[in-house]
Amino acid sequence: MTSTPASAARKELGAFQGELIGPDDPGYPQARAVYNGMIDRRPALVARCASADDVTLAIGFARRHELPLAVRGGGHHGAGLGTCEGGVVADLSPLHAVKVDAAARTVRVGGGAIWGQVDAATHEHGLATPSGIISTTGVGGLALGGGLGHLTRHCGLTVDNIVAARVVLADGTQVRADADENPDLYWAIRGGGGNFGAVTAFTFRLHEVSTVVAGPTFWPAEQGAEVLAAYREFLPSAPRDVNGFFLYGTVPPAPPFPEELHLRKVCGVVWCHTSGDPEAADRAMAPLLDPLPAPLLHAVGPMPHPALQTMFDGLYPPGDQWYWRADFVHDIPDDAVALHAKFGPQTPSVQSTMHLYPIDGAAHDLRPSDTAFSYRDARWASVYAGVDPDPANAELIKRWTVDYFEALHPYSAGGAYVNMMMDEGQERVRASYRGNYARLARIKASLDPDNVFRHNQNVEPDPAARYEARP
């Protein structure tokens, strides 16, 4: 019988504690699946790692057999970078333990956890850390790329709240990265993605966030230009307690939305006021809401922070078709407002949407060079997401996404949020890291000179580097 990578792994990796799954195993279809149904790759081996030692073994096996290696946390990345064709997937999902230290206001999280697990555990103590907007998102992918979400203006990016990490390097070494130990690696993983190793555990800083005042305000999509023009002036001057991302979309035909709004094209703002005080939230939102026409819906009220985090879970289950494009944005001039008003109402499906996520407030407290996340001077991250459950509509949602993106890209800051990019080429990666790219490439050359960790928004090792940052 011809040996396969899966059979070879079972023979060679006697100390592996987790599960080794190959194409002939019953669990393979589920093991190879990622969140984006548009991604259909068949790895030769899925190694479900139960420990950091398992991760070391999986990396070593891939290297010895000269197989591509992908590291998967939650598997949410639009480009499917948590898997690979014919290679090894180091699946970290068994590493999902969450331990809160309420006294120290930190939480230690396994690299395979999802944010819903973290939100639930920290909420028990009236605490939270920035964690995106969908609770099924993997901790590792979101955290390493930046981490935008409902708490950005109040608490900063997710990377701003990484206190430490445990990382398995390309040579299998297991190290700690923090401000004192391996500081170059610590700098690089805060925005540099999975380029430098497999993170098996994070320690995050926690903040006093428990009840928030949150929910959507919707206007007819035809009023998008008026609403966006007001929003662009309001949001940067709003108190840091206020977070609100602007969107175009379609009202889902399901509760809690009123039937008369089902399938209505809308624009709007999804709010999060971290004080938990409805009166304070009303005062903070009034400068935007009062001058505008009455909305179709203003469903904003107190709720537990985890309830806000799960608000979109039902609308975006795993397995749908996704196609993303993204940009960073400094300003939204009138010409850009007009283009949004043209493309935004043309969403091709109920789930397709455009979001403008704020990147200011606490996120601006750091300099562009303080972490690998470079765009500290941007005010928003725009994302154009074509989404539909039917593979027959894949080209339709892709075309809308690309057309929208290409129309607005001339008004962008140049790069994009790496967590929301497809596989768009090396120049796009360089543009997204700007002046930080050269340092990232030197650290990459030191820690992963063979580019073992390349299934990501890849930072290529600098071949001329003489960088001395060794773990």
Side-chain angles (χ1 to χ4, degrees):
M1 180 180 294
T2 303
S3 176
T4 66
S7 62
R10 292 188 182 103
K11 290 179 181 177
E12 295 178 26
L13 307 182
F16 195 86
Q17 299 172 334
E19 190 176 6
L20 300 169
I21 304 171
D24 296 330
D25 295 319
Y28 180 76
Q30 180 181 5
R32 77 179 182 94
V34 292
Y35 183 75
N36 185 358
M38 198 178 287
I39 306 300
D40 184 22
R41 297 186 184 133
R42 298 183 63 85
L45 174 67
V46 178
R48 284 187 168 155
C49 301
S51 66
D53 288 343
D54 279 359
V55 177
T56 292
L57 290 171
I59 293 170
F61 179 84
R63 297 197 70 175
R64 285 194 305 277
H65 291 266
E66 299 183 339
L67 293 170
L69 173 72
V71 179
R72 186 169 74 212
H76 264 240
H77 197 277
L81 299 180
T83 188
C84 57
E85 186 68 31
V88 175
V89 172
D91 180 358
L92 306 186
S93 60
L95 301 175
H96 56 71
V98 178
K99 184 177 181 180
V100 178
D101 185 337
R105 290 194 182 179
T106 60
V107 59
R108 191 176 192 274
V109 183
I114 61 172
W115 280 111
Q117 295 169 302
V118 181
D119 295 334
T122 58
H123 184 70
E124 291 182 8
H125 303 274
L127 302 169
T129 199
S131 53
I133 68 165
I134 296 179
S135 77
T136 59
T137 305
V139 168
L142 183 134
L144 295 173
L148 298 171
H150 294 300
L151 301 183
T152 298
R153 301 189 78 242
H154 186 69
C155 304
L157 306 174
T158 305
V159 294
D160 303 341
N161 292 278
I162 298 175
V163 176
R166 296 292 305 179
V167 187
V168 183
L169 302 178
D171 63 2
T173 306
Q174 299 173 27
V175 301
R176 177 182 170 91
D178 60 26
D180 299 316
E181 194 171 349
N182 301 307
D184 292 295
L185 176 59
Y186 178 58
W187 178 87
I189 64 171
R190 289 180 293 154
N195 276 284
F196 307 95
V199 178
T200 57
F202 296 87
T203 301
F204 296 105
R205 182 180 302 107
L206 296 175
H207 303 261
E208 288 189 4
V209 175
S210 181
T211 297
V212 296
V213 181
T217 303
F218 290 153
W219 291 266
E222 308 87 76
Q223 294 177 356
E226 181 179 4
V227 175
L228 180 54
Y231 170 84
R232 72 181 176 185
E233 304 300 327
F234 159 79
L235 199 282
S237 61
R240 290 187 178 194
D241 285 349
V242 179
N243 204 92
F245 68 82
F246 179 87
L247 64 80
Y248 277 102
T250 304
V251 179
F257 300 106
E259 285 191 24
E260 62 269 21
L261 295 184
H262 287 182
L263 300 179
R264 182 79 179 262
K265 300 276 190 179
V266 296
C267 66
V269 177
V270 177
W271 300 98
C272 175
H273 194 282
T274 54
S275 73
D277 180 350
E279 292 185 2
D282 288 346
R283 288 193 300 270
M285 291 183 283
L288 176 69
L289 299 179
D290 289 352
L292 287 171
L296 295 170
L297 177 72
H298 182 65
V300 178
M303 64 180 69
H305 174 250
L308 173 61
Q309 291 295 104
T310 61
M311 185 175 288
F312 296 101
D313 289 5
L315 183 61
Y316 296 113
D320 286 346
Q321 307 285 301
W322 282 77
Y323 195 86
W324 285 354
R325 286 293 173 91
D327 263 325
F328 287 121
V329 177
H330 291 311
D331 299 297
I332 310 172
D334 289 345
D335 288 348
V337 170
L339 287 168
H340 279 295
K342 173 185 176 182
F343 286 94
Q346 297 177 13
T347 49
S349 65
V350 172
Q351 296 156 295
S352 295
T353 189
M354 188 285 301
H355 292 175
L356 281 165
Y357 295 107
I359 316 175
D360 62 345
H364 277 189
D365 290 346
L366 277 70
R367 298 169 300 175
S369 61
D370 285 345
T371 68
F373 186 95
S374 170
Y375 275 85
R376 298 287 177 174
D377 52 340
R379 289 186 177 177
W380 288 279
S382 61
V383 58
Y384 314 92
V387 190
D388 193 272
D390 188 349
N393 292 328
E395 188 56 37
L396 175 69
I397 61 175
K398 179 179 179 180
R399 186 74 266 152
W400 172 80
T401 300
V402 172
D403 288 348
Y404 199 163
F405 163 79
E406 290 184 347
L408 270 298
H409 183 63
Y411 302 92
S412 75
Y417 181 36
V418 294
N419 286 353
M420 293 179 174
M421 286 168 51
M422 302 300 281
D423 187 359
E424 300 171 34
Q426 187 61 206
E427 287 308 308
R428 188 80 165 126
V429 175
R430 287 176 176 268
S432 298
Y433 289 116
R434 297 192 297 183
N436 288 341
Y437 187 88
R439 182 179 177 187
L440 288 167
R442 291 194 300 269
I443 297 172
K444 179 77 168 181
S446 172
L447 301 180
D448 184 15
D450 298 323
N451 206 6
V452 172
F453 297 107
R454 60 183 178 272
H455 282 272
N456 42 47
Q457 300 297 353
N458 193 230
V459 172
E460 297 177 337
D462 180 357
R466 294 294 183 267
Y467 202 71
E468 298 300 326
R470 297 298 301 181

